[in-house]
Amino acid sequence: VSMEDLIDDMLGQGTESTLRWRERPAQSDAPIVLDVRNISLPSVYANVSLDIKAGEIVGLAGLMGSGRTEIAQAIFGLVPPAEGEIKICGENINSVAEAISAGVSLVPESRRDQGLVLEHSVRMNFMLPNLDIFKRGYFVGDSVGRRKALDYIGVLGIKTDSEEKSVNQLSGGNQQKVVLSKWLVREPRLLILDEPTVGVDIGAKSDIIEIVRTLANKGTAVLVISSEFEELLAISDRILVLKDGQLVKELDRRNIASEEDLHHAVQS
């Protein structure tokens, strides 16, 4: 029994459409959404420059400790760089508030510690970063938030018997979909995914990859950080290789023949 056959039996469908790379149309004429120029943070990363166009999926590969997560946090305004500049559609970003206002969303590396309030319900987690959307005067429109939460529970296939169920009772994959849902309602210009499928089952991984592809096809710029090279190869249009806090290579996905080639690029 091959790995592919086993996965197909678990999912009840073939994995060709989601876990295998599909070449996407080039985004050569699309506007630049993310423009990072020469950002540095002492002892973490140095002189990092990159850009992502609307509708493009860019993977960030590197060993643990290479600075991947710290660069994502800098783009989201959590830990601004000591030098350099970050722009979203031409606007300078220096804080989380500015990043969110400019249309940046971050699905963090640890959903349980950074992405969710575990004791709160699915609905409350969904609404929490979006109170500006759901408020009505001085009050929060709970009914509007509930309807939207139910909409995204359906769209993302979140398995829960109620939007009032505590998220700590959901599986890892469904928890990750809740984190995704609360940002998707904002229709982000740039979606940053840090280890988006860690600790989720193969079915949820397939769903999340397909959701990301759909968003990119609609024009969202996507930055994906992952330790799973198979995942990066399945989803990325370009892959940037980070080593010791510096970007050392840029690879067109069409020129990467195998997962082994990407391993060599990261470790060399």
Side-chain angles (χ1 to χ4, degrees), residues 17-76:
S17 62
T18 53
L19 301 181
R20 306 262 179 101
W21 181 64
R22 298 196 301 262
E23 185 170 353
R24 303 174 61 249
Q27 308 297 325
S28 55
D29 298 329
I32 292 175
V33 174
L34 172 65
D35 187 13
V36 175
R37 285 291 162 259
N38 300 315
I39 62 170
S40 296
L41 188 64
S43 302
V44 182
Y45 54 82
N47 298 318
V48 173
S49 296
L50 63 97
D51 59 64
I52 305 178
K53 295 179 179 179
E56 186 178 27
I57 304 173
V58 174
L60 188 57
L63 301 176
M64 295 294 291
S66 60
R68 301 172 308 172
T69 292
E70 290 81 2
I71 289 171
Q73 291 175 342
I75 295 169
F76 194 59

Side-chain angles (χ1 to χ4, degrees), residues 27-259:
Q27 308 297 325
S28 55
D29 298 329
I32 292 175
V33 174
L34 172 65
D35 187 13
V36 175
R37 285 291 162 259
N38 300 315
I39 62 170
S40 296
L41 188 64
S43 302
V44 182
Y45 54 82
N47 298 318
V48 173
S49 296
L50 63 97
D51 59 64
I52 305 178
K53 295 179 179 179
E56 186 178 27
I57 304 173
V58 174
L60 188 57
L63 301 176
M64 295 294 291
S66 60
R68 301 172 308 172
T69 292
E70 290 81 2
I71 289 171
Q73 291 175 342
I75 295 169
F76 194 59
L78 277 170
V79 184
E83 299 177 4
E85 62 180 12
I86 299 167
K87 292 184 177 182
I88 300 295
C89 298
E91 300 179 38
N92 282 303
I93 301 300
N94 298 294
S95 68
V96 173
E98 290 178 355
I100 293 175
S101 178
V104 184
S105 296
L106 170 66
V107 176
E109 183 177 17
S110 174
R111 59 181 169 269
R112 295 182 66 86
D113 295 331
Q114 301 166 312
L116 296 166
V117 181
L118 294 174
E119 295 76 17
H120 285 188
S121 67
V122 172
R123 176 182 62 83
M124 291 179 70
N125 273 277
F126 175 79
M127 293 178 63
L128 188 58
N130 301 306
L131 297 180
D132 58 325
I133 296 175
F134 300 124
K135 69 181 181 182
R136 297 294 180 266
Y138 292 107
F139 301 95
V140 176
D142 277 343
S143 59
V144 178
R146 180 174 287 105
R147 287 198 300 272
K148 275 290 185 182
L150 287 170
D151 287 345
Y152 276 87
I153 286 170
V155 169
L156 300 187
I158 299 171
K159 293 180 174 61
T160 177
D161 49 20
S162 170
E163 75 280 5
E164 299 301 332
K165 190 169 188 174
S166 174
V167 293
N168 61 14
Q169 298 180 50
L170 303 184
S171 69
N174 286 299
Q175 288 179 353
Q176 191 74 327
K177 289 180 182 180
V178 173
V179 179
L180 265 172
S181 71
K182 71 181 185 180
W183 290 119
L184 297 189
V185 72
R186 303 191 72 90
E187 299 180 352
R189 291 171 170 172
L190 171 66
L191 177 63
I192 305 170
L193 301 162
D194 192 354
E195 301 287 5
T197 64
V198 67
V200 307
D201 63 50
I202 192 66
K205 174 183 282 193
S206 177
D207 290 343
I208 289 169
I209 288 175
E210 198 56 48
I211 290 165
V212 173
R213 284 193 181 123
T214 300
L215 287 170
N217 289 339
K218 293 179 179 179
T220 301
V222 181
L223 176 64
V224 180
I225 300 168
S226 179
S227 300
E228 297 188 30
F229 292 163
E230 179 187 27
E231 181 173 270
L232 288 178
L233 291 172
I235 200 171
S236 304
D237 302 315
R238 287 187 291 133
I239 295 178
L240 307 177
V241 179
L242 190 67
K243 183 176 182 179
D244 297 330
Q246 295 187 318
L247 287 178
V248 294
K249 292 177 185 175
E250 177 178 326
L251 306 172
D252 188 315
R253 175 60 183 87
R254 293 170 294 184
N255 298 327
I256 306 174
S258 67
E259 188 175 341

